[in-house]
Amino acid sequence: MSERIDPVPYEPEAFLADLRQAAEAIGAPFDEAMVRRTLEVFDAELRRCVVQLKATSRPGDGLYYRFFYKWERDLTEVARQAGILPPAAPPLLELQPQLLAGLPGSTRAGLDLDAGFGIAKIWTFTGGPVPVEALARYPAVPDSVRTHLPFFARHGLKHVFFTASDLQRNSMNVYFILEEDCRHEAWLRALVADTGGADASAEDYQRMVESLAVSAGVGFTFRWDQPELGRWCLYALNVEPGAAPLPDLPPRLARFPAQAPTLNEDPQFNVAWSFGPARFYVKLEKSYARDADHFLTYEMGGDLSHLA
C-alpha cells in the first residue's frame, strides 16, 4: 500500500473555514474562538497527523474533528498547560498513563475535539491485540468492565485495540477488533437482544453485517459510577456512503459526505451504528487530511488494504 498524498496541504485558516462549513451543513454548535485556540495549541499535530471529521444522526449533536497520533508528546499535559483541558474525574486522566506504563507497545493515539465543546476524547492504542482480561486489571478501568467479562466472553469479544477517555460524558470506551466468527447476523442479533434491543430494521441488520467486509470493530461505553453497560457501537471501516450494502444514512448524515470538506482526493469513510439507552443512532466519519488507511495499517497495525 503506497501512501496517498493530498494535492493541497493542511492549512489552519482553511481548516477553520472548513469546520465552520461542516458545522453549518448539519446544524452543529460552533464556537469559533474555542476552535481557533485548539488549532493553535495542536498546530504541530494537525500539520503532521491524519485528520478526520465526525458527525452523528442526532439533531444538535456536535461536529467532531480528530487527529490520529503515535508519538511521545503528552497531549493531555499540553492541553492542561494551555488551559483547554475540561474538568475531569481522576480516573479519566489516570487511564492513559496506566496503560502506557503497563502495555508494551502502547501509545497515545490522538484526540477527539467537539467544535462546540473542546477536547472530547483522549485515545490510547494498546499496542496490538490485548486480551480484555489483561486490560481489566488496571485500577483506572471502571469496575463495570470487570463485571462484564463474562458478557464479553459470551459474545466472542476477546481482544482490545483502543481505549478512550470521554471527557464530555465522564466515561471510558473499550474498542474490540471484531473477530471473523462474529461477523454474521445471528451474532449481531444476539448482542442486540442481550443489551435491550434497537430500532434498526431486519433488513438493516443484514446490511450492517455485509458492510463489515474490509475491517470492523465494536466499542462499549462504561462509567465509573454505574455498574451497567452504556451504549455500544458497531463500526464498519472503509465503506462508501450511498453504496450497497450500506444501510441508508439518516437525513442529517446523508448531507455530510458531500458537504463536509476534505483535502483527500479519495476520502475514507467509516460508519458506526450505536445501540443502547440513548436509543439507536448512526455515526459517520470522513477523512480530511492525509491517508488514514496508510496510517492505520502501518502505524497502528489495522490492515485496511484488502478484504478480510
Side-chain angles (χ1 to χ4, degrees), residues 4-5 8 14 18 25 51 81 88 90 94 111 114 122 131 139 167 176 180 195 251 253 269 271 291 295:
R4 293 170 292 186
I5 305 300
V8 178
D18 288 344
V51 180
Q81 292 182 9
E94 293 168 358
L111 300 175
D114 180 332
I122 302 168
L167 305 184
F176 293 81
E180 289 290 335
T195 54
L253 290 186
F269 291 92
V271 177
D291 188 342
F295 182 86

Side-chain angles (χ1 to χ4, degrees), residues 17-30:
D18 288 344
L19 288 172
R20 187 187 307 113
Q21 177 181 329
E24 291 173 354
I26 59 171
F30 187 78

Side-chain angles (χ1 to χ4, degrees), residues 257-274:
Q259 297 183 15
T262 180
L263 302 179
N264 292 170
E265 290 185 308
D266 184 19
Q268 180 209 34
F269 291 92
N270 305 317
V271 177
W273 299 277
S274 181

